[in-house]
């Protein structure tokens, strides 16, 4: 059931060194930073159960609402921890130095978080969205029994891959048959007796894959990741929530093909799947000059080759919410007409 | 000039992203024609958001600002326990009042296309006369009675706070996961060509979504095939 890669993903962790914000320190000397190994696929507010006891002696009186910043940037708690790290640390910083706050929640920037329940519902909503993308309906998630829902969420919180695979298989969210790893096509397609022949054929040929792309467009070129500029506002990151249409028969579909289909702004020909290959079109050649340069693409902390089959990437590197989270640094192409 | 809308749109209650802008502009035009007492819906173009508008890819959303709603709290205070028995609810409909009255809320509404659900999604926020943004309790407390009931009873329709896809800020939204199902039912009753059905999409959609806030479309607008 589980793949070796999936196990690595679920065991993935980020070493964090978490400092209490100066404005919330009421003791001398200030408390030492907390050293925590945070699951890649988890969410920062879930660290509260370790951090509150650790820092409670130093905190002023008041109501706690935990949030984090990195170099002054409030961290979006609803993005998995590993994705935040991949996105914000071009050159991985180990340990990753974060600042924790228990007061002054920036409600104008971050959506509210009332603890574990908010994180759980954020996860469930992502799962519903993924189910809708894949199946055209969220019903399997909506109709999950309460015990299953609790157990699924606990498996995500506690990193229990076996439990997760057992419960999530009931949702029948198989995405793509992976011809490159010997995994057969998902059985739900075969098992749906009510689907007629035409629909079954169509369903097998096209799948929609849930993808969230975090795109950072850099103005200047850089050779070393250390030279990549930092960003201090979320407006500098384009968050793109667009599914990838994947055709499982015929053409070999790579990770690069997937990126192109998500970004028609940069790759204008990508939406037309019947279009002839670019080398046959004389008009395409000059436009290649303005294509962006991909400086860095990261998924689950690794930089896969762009030629890798997209089906393998999806089946092995997706998060427990059934989304593939991709971090992408692109050097801005020169505007046409320069 | 005839606007071509793809034929396979709307059959399953969904809408394609290319049709969305066409349909959105058609909606804005009709609103302007039939609902001229209200502020206008405007198309906010976001084609440039990745740095430059390349290759004619269109992107954006529909926006209306400062829709005024009178607050119901005075009514509830006056009638107390009797309010649920009132047959008349004079404040259900939004009314545009040109005044500095401090007993109302101003709403901004955005209609944004969801690539995941292939349907429009309503994002909104509200502020009081002093400019303070309202929180969720304050918003729900002032919805028409029927809407509050629907929101609490339905697991398909609920208000959550989400990040606005274009503004990177928390906004309220009605969760879209059930939209294509009820749009399919709604559009099935329409006797019209595929093209008209697509253009009617946003009008039909808003006739349901707008009711949550007590916003009703004029009958002429709903019936219009123009």
């Amino acid at each position: 059931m589980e793949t070796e890669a999936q196990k690595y993903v679920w065991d993935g962790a980020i070493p964090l060194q978490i400092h209490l914000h100066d404005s919330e320190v009421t003791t001398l000397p200030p408390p030492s930073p907390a050293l925590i190994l945070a699951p890649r696929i988890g969410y920062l507010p879930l660290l509260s159960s370790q951090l509150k006891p650790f820092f409670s002696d130093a905190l002023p009186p008041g109501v706690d609402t935990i949030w984090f910043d990195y170099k002054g940037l409030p961290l979006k708690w609803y993005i998995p921890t590993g994705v935040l790290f991949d996105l914000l640390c071009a050159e991985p910083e180990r340990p990753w130095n974060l600042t924790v706050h228990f007061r002054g929640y920036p409600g104008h920037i971050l959506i509210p978080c009332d603890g574990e329940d908010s994180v759980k519902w954020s996860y469930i909503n992502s799962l519903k969205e993924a189910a809708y993308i894949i199946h055209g309906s969220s019903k399997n998630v909506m109709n999950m029994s309460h015990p299953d829902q609790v157990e699924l969420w606990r498996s995500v919180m506690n990193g229990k891959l076996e439990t997760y695979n057992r419960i999530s298989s009931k949702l029948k969210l198989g995405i793509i048959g992976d011809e490159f790893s010997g995994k057969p096509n998902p059985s739900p397609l075969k098992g749906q007796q009510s689907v007629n022949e035409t629909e079954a054929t169509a369903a097998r040929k096209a799948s929609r894959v849930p993808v969230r792309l975090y795109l950072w467009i850099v103005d200047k070129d850089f050779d070393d990741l250390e030279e990549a500029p930092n960003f201090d506002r979320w407006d500098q990151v384009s968050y793109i929530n667009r599914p990838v249409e994947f055709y499982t028969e015929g053409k070999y579909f790579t990770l690069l093909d997937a990126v192109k289909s998500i970004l028609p702004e940069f790759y204008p020909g990508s939406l037309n799947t019947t279009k002839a290959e670019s080398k046959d079109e004389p008009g395409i050649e000059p436009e290649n000059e303005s294509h962006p340069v991909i400086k860095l693409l990261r998924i689950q902390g690794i930089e896969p080759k762009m030629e890798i089959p997209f089906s393998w990437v999806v089946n092995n590197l997706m998060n427990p919410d059934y989304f593939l989270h991709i971090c992408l640094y692109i050097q801005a192409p020169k505007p046409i007409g320069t | 000039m005839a606007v071509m809308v793809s034929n396979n749109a709307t059959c399953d209650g969904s809408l394609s992203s290319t049709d969305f802008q066409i349909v959105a502009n058609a909606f804005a035009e009709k609103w302007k024609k039939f609902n001229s007492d209200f502020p206008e819906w405007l198309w906010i173009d976001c084609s440039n958001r990745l740095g430059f508008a390349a290759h004619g890819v269109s992107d954006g959303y529909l926006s209306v600002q400062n829709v005024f709603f009178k607050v119901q709290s005075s009514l509830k205070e006056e009638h107390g326990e009797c309010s649920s028995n009132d047959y008349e609810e004079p404040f259900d409909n939004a009314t545009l009042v040109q005044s500095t009255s401090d007993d109302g809320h101003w709403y901004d509404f955005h209609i944004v296309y969801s690539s995941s659900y292939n349907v429009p999604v309503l994002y909104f926020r509200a502020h009081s006369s002093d400019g303070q943004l309202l929180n969720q309790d304050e918003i729900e407390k002032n919805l028409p009675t029927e809407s509050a009931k629907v929101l609490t009873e339905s697991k398909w329709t609920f208000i959550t706070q989400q990040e606005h896809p274009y503004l990177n800020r928390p906004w309220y939204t009605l969760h879209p996961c059930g939209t294509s199902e009820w749009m399919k039912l709604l559009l099935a009753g329409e006797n019209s060509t595929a093209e008209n059905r697509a253009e009617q999409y946003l009008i039909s959609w808003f006739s349901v979504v707008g009711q949550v806030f007590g916003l009703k479309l004029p009958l002429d607008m709903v019936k219009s095939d123009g």
Side-chain angles (χ1 to χ4, degrees):
Chain A
M1 187 74 190
E2 66 191 52
T3 66
E4 184 178 4
Q6 195 181 22
K7 193 165 189 323
Y8 276 120
V9 164
W10 274 64
D11 287 343
I14 312 289
L16 304 181
Q17 182 162 260
I18 301 179
H19 309 255
L20 182 60
H21 193 258
D22 289 345
S23 67
E24 298 176 20
V25 175
T26 63
T27 58
L28 285 176
S32 304
L35 302 177
I36 293 182
L37 213 52
R40 272 192 154 270
I41 58 169
Y43 301 89
L44 287 172
L46 299 180
L47 304 177
S48 181
S49 60
Q50 301 172 69
L51 290 171
K52 277 178 87 164
F54 188 90
F55 288 119
S56 61
D57 288 350
L59 285 173
V63 177
D64 296 344
T65 307
I66 197 170
W67 63 284
F68 301 80
D69 80 70
Y70 174 59
K71 296 185 176 177
L73 183 74
L75 297 183
K76 298 184 177 183
W77 56 265
Y78 36 97
I79 297 178
T81 304
V83 180
L84 289 169
F85 180 66
D86 291 345
L87 178 63
L88 297 175
C89 295
E91 180 69 26
E93 176 184 312
R94 297 197 179 90
W96 192 22
N97 283 281
L98 298 183
T99 301
V100 67
H101 308 248
F102 293 91
R103 306 283 185 275
Y105 191 87
H108 60 297
I109 298 176
L110 304 180
I111 56 181
C113 182
D114 294 326
E116 184 194 315
D117 248 26
S118 295
V119 183
K120 174 188 175 184
W121 285 114
S122 177
Y123 167 77
I124 295 289
N125 275 327
S126 285
L127 198 59
K128 278 187 211 170
E129 189 174 342
Y132 198 97
I133 289 167
I134 296 164
H135 274 324
S137 166
S138 301
K139 279 176 179 166
N140 283 354
V141 179
M142 303 289 284
N143 296 330
M144 201 188 307
S145 70
H146 184 69
D148 275 350
Q149 196 181 87
V150 169
E151 197 167 4
L152 182 70
W153 171 240
R154 280 187 189 152
S155 70
V156 174
M157 264 207 309
N158 300 318
K160 304 297 184 186
L161 177 54
E162 280 184 19
T163 305
Y164 170 81
N165 277 335
R166 176 166 53 80
I167 304 289
S168 64
S169 66
K170 301 183 186 185
L171 302 175
K172 305 184 193 300
L173 294 179
I175 297 176
I176 310 175
D178 192 354
E179 59 207 86
F180 303 103
S181 66
K183 182 178 173 183
N185 275 309
S187 55
L189 291 177
K190 299 172 184 173
Q192 293 176 29
Q193 302 296 330
S194 61
V195 177
N196 65 42
E197 199 67 28
T198 307
E199 281 183 20
T201 304
R204 248 181 252 123
K205 284 186 176 175
S207 302
R208 290 215 303 166
V209 177
V211 174
R212 288 183 173 159
L213 185 70
Y214 307 82
L215 175 63
W216 188 17
I217 301 173
V218 294
D219 294 329
K220 47 190 174 182
D221 194 6
F222 56 90
D223 290 323
D224 294 320
L225 290 183
E226 287 171 8
E227 297 171 15
N230 288 317
F231 61 92
D232 49 22
R233 288 177 295 109
W234 281 109
D235 294 331
Q236 293 169 273
V237 179
S238 293
Y239 166 67
I240 297 175
N241 188 5
R242 284 183 195 152
V244 170
E245 294 257 344
F246 181 95
Y247 297 93
T248 55
E249 293 182 17
K251 186 182 173 184
Y252 181 91
F253 196 78
T254 66
L255 176 56
L256 180 59
D257 292 329
V259 169
K260 288 181 173 182
S261 75
I262 298 170
L263 292 172
E265 290 90 346
F266 292 141
Y267 301 98
S270 64
L271 289 180
N272 188 355
T273 55
T274 61
K275 188 168 187 174
E277 296 196 3
S278 59
K279 63 183 181 181
D280 296 332
E281 298 276 346
I284 294 294
E285 203 62 36
E287 276 192 320
N288 283 335
E289 295 290 328
S290 67
H291 281 191
V293 177
I294 294 178
K295 303 299 293 183
L296 177 67
L297 182 143
R298 260 193 201 135
I299 307 173
Q300 299 292 5
I302 65 175
E303 298 165 37
K305 291 183 184 300
M306 300 305 287
E307 311 86 55
I308 195 170
F310 185 60
S311 56
W312 185 93
V313 174
V314 172
N315 285 323
N316 291 280
L317 301 183
M318 71 184 172
N319 271 61
D321 57 3
Y322 277 81
F323 274 86
L324 186 70
H325 296 259
I326 302 177
C327 299
L328 187 59
Y329 288 28
I330 276 186
Q331 186 186 347
K334 297 171 186 174
I336 297 174
T338 302
Chain B
M1 179 181 293
V3 175
M4 297 307 296
V5 178
S6 57
N7 283 330
N8 53 357
T10 74
C11 288
D12 58 356
S14 67
L15 192 67
S16 74
S17 62
T18 52
D19 286 345
F20 173 70
Q21 184 177 2
I22 297 168
V23 162
N25 283 304
F27 177 81
E29 282 297 314
K30 287 191 175 178
W31 179 279
K32 190 174 176 181
K33 180 179 177 184
F34 291 102
N35 239 354
S36 55
D37 288 344
F38 280 85
E40 273 185 67
W41 288 93
L42 300 172
W43 177 259
I44 307 297
D45 196 298
C46 301
S47 302
N48 203 41
R49 75 168 175 140
L50 293 186
F52 63 100
H55 313 294
V57 176
S58 107
D59 200 7
Y61 60 93
L62 211 54
S63 164
V64 67
Q65 291 187 344
N66 295 322
V67 180
F68 181 77
F69 294 82
K70 278 195 137 186
V71 175
Q72 301 184 53
S73 56
S74 58
L75 177 64
K76 287 176 180 173
E77 282 167 13
E78 285 171 19
H79 296 278
E81 297 151 13
C82 297
S83 63
S84 60
N85 295 324
D86 286 351
Y87 288 95
E88 285 186 315
E89 296 193 6
F91 303 118
D92 274 357
N93 294 324
T95 54
L96 187 64
V97 176
Q98 297 286 0
S99 72
T100 54
S101 170
D102 60 0
D103 65 343
H105 296 150
W106 280 263
Y107 276 69
D108 299 335
F109 294 108
H110 291 175
I111 303 177
V112 180
Y113 181 75
S114 166
S115 295
S116 298
Y117 291 99
N118 289 348
V119 295
V121 180
L122 187 75
Y123 285 82
F124 62 97
R125 65 179 182 183
H127 50 95
S128 53
S129 56
D130 61 358
Q132 290 290 320
L133 286 176
L134 304 185
N135 64 38
Q136 186 157 342
D137 285 344
E138 287 166 332
I139 287 176
E140 288 181 352
K141 187 170 60 182
N142 288 291
L143 291 177
T145 307
E146 296 81 15
S147 307
K149 189 176 177 184
V150 168
L151 289 177
T152 54
E153 287 179 359
S154 171
K155 67 176 181 177
W156 296 95
T157 308
F158 53 95
I159 293 178
T160 66
Q161 232 180 114
Q162 293 290 323
E163 190 172 289
H164 191 295
Y166 293 99
L167 302 181
N168 293 321
R169 292 289 183 272
W171 276 59
Y172 296 102
T173 184
L174 294 176
H175 203 277
C177 63
T179 300
S180 68
E181 307 249 328
W182 52 259
M183 281 302 296
K184 192 194 308 186
L185 294 174
L186 217 55
L187 294 170
E190 304 264 344
N191 287 324
S192 54
T193 64
E195 185 170 325
N196 280 340
R197 199 159 58 232
E199 294 212 346
Q200 280 292 110
Y201 188 102
L202 215 50
I203 294 173
S204 299
W205 175 86
F206 194 85
S207 70
V208 173
V209 169
Q211 286 190 48
V212 171
F213 304 90
L215 280 171
K216 290 170 186 167
L217 296 179
L219 202 59
D220 287 350
M221 183 171 177
V222 177
K223 296 248 176 178
S224 168
D225 267 354

